[in-house]
């Protein structure tokens, strides 16, 4: 199915092309509302599989100090490919829905943030605007799951420039999880 999308993509690539995409407070509010509504949709579709997390997270996050949990606290429905090239403005539009389904809660916010880590101001804005989703146990787990996927895709040559920032972010998230007792270790 096709639908006419209004506006232009925020970026021609999954990563932002400017230091901070120029988006209104209304755009961010609409994104928060859309993600909240989507997360409650019941579906049998799957965007991220538990078997993938069990296999990939220990491999791609082995640089972290200790065993990484692989089971999210919660699952919800996600777009599954939320990045800057799949978002339009000046009015919010969300494109490219073929991969939607269940994923760790907070997955879409974590994915948008992960694609922004190479552009610190954009990443800070995403963290600020989507803090309610990212700044909790589910959001931190989702960040590690997304970082796992992007580190794996970097092996195939995708977004290689993000790898140092992704690894740094994984360490920051991991230390926060340890401090908050979310890893099963102290």
């Amino acid at each position: 199915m096709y639908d006419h999308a209004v506006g232009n993509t925020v970026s021609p690539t999954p990563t932002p092309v400017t230091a901070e995409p120029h988006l209104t407070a209304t755009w961010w509010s609409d994104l928060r509302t859309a993600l909240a509504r989507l997360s409650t949709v019941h579906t049998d579709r799957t965007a991220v599989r538990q078997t993938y997390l069990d296999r990939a997270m220990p491999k791609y996050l082995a640089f972290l100090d200790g065993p990484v949990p692989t089971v999210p606290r919660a699952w919800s429905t996600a777009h599954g490919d939320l990045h800057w090239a799949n978002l339009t403005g000046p009015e919010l539009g969300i494109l490219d829905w073929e991969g939607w389904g269940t994923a760790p809660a907070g997955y879409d916010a974590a994915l948008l943030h992960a694609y922004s880590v190479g552009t610190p101001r954009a990443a800070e804005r995403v963290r600020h605007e989507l803090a309610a989703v990212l700044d909790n146990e589910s959001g931190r787990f989702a960040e590690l799951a997304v970082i796992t996927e992007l580190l794996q895709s970097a092996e195939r040559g995708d977004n290689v420039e993000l790898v140092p920032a992704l690894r740094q972010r994984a360490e920051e998230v991991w230390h926060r999880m340890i401090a908050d007792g979310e890893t099963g270790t102290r």
Side-chain angles (χ1 to χ4, degrees):
M1 295 178 61
Y2 294 92
D3 196 8
H4 177 74
V6 178
N8 297 309
T9 58
V10 176
S11 174
T13 67
T15 58
V17 294
T18 61
E20 181 181 345
H22 300 287
L23 302 166
T24 66
T26 299
W27 188 95
W28 285 104
S29 176
D30 290 348
L31 179 62
R32 286 189 299 274
T33 299
L35 295 180
R37 287 181 181 164
L38 174 60
S39 72
T40 65
V41 171
H42 176 73
T43 184
D44 293 329
R45 293 177 54 98
T46 303
V48 178
R49 297 187 186 288
Q50 182 62 56
T51 55
Y52 171 79
L53 298 175
D54 291 339
R55 181 183 71 251
M57 289 181 77
K59 177 179 179 181
Y60 291 97
L61 299 177
F63 62 92
L64 298 176
D65 185 27
V68 176
T70 62
V71 179
R73 178 170 291 285
W75 294 85
S76 65
T77 301
H79 174 273
D81 196 20
L82 195 75
H83 55 66
W84 297 106
N86 285 338
L87 294 167
T88 66
E91 291 182 30
L92 174 67
I94 303 175
L95 309 173
D96 194 18
W97 284 89
E98 80 272 2
W100 75 279
T102 56
Y107 183 86
D108 286 334
L111 189 59
L112 187 61
H113 181 258
Y115 273 114
S116 304
V117 295
T119 312
R121 285 182 45 206
E124 182 180 325
R125 182 71 186 264
V126 172
R127 276 194 313 273
H128 171 76
E129 296 291 345
L130 303 177
V133 177
L134 292 172
D135 195 19
N136 57 56
E137 186 174 356
S138 292
R140 286 186 282 278
F141 180 89
E143 281 199 73
L144 291 183
V146 163
I147 290 168
T148 296
E149 290 181 333
L150 293 182
L151 291 175
Q152 181 182 24
S153 72
E155 285 186 347
R156 298 186 302 268
D158 297 330
N159 302 299
V160 174
E161 70 282 359
L162 293 178
V163 169
L166 289 169
R167 290 175 64 93
Q168 178 181 342
R169 182 62 186 162
E171 289 176 357
E172 292 167 1
V173 169
W174 178 245
H175 288 28
R176 175 71 188 271
M177 289 174 79
I178 290 171
D180 289 352
E182 298 168 7
T183 63
T185 62
R186 281 248 179 215

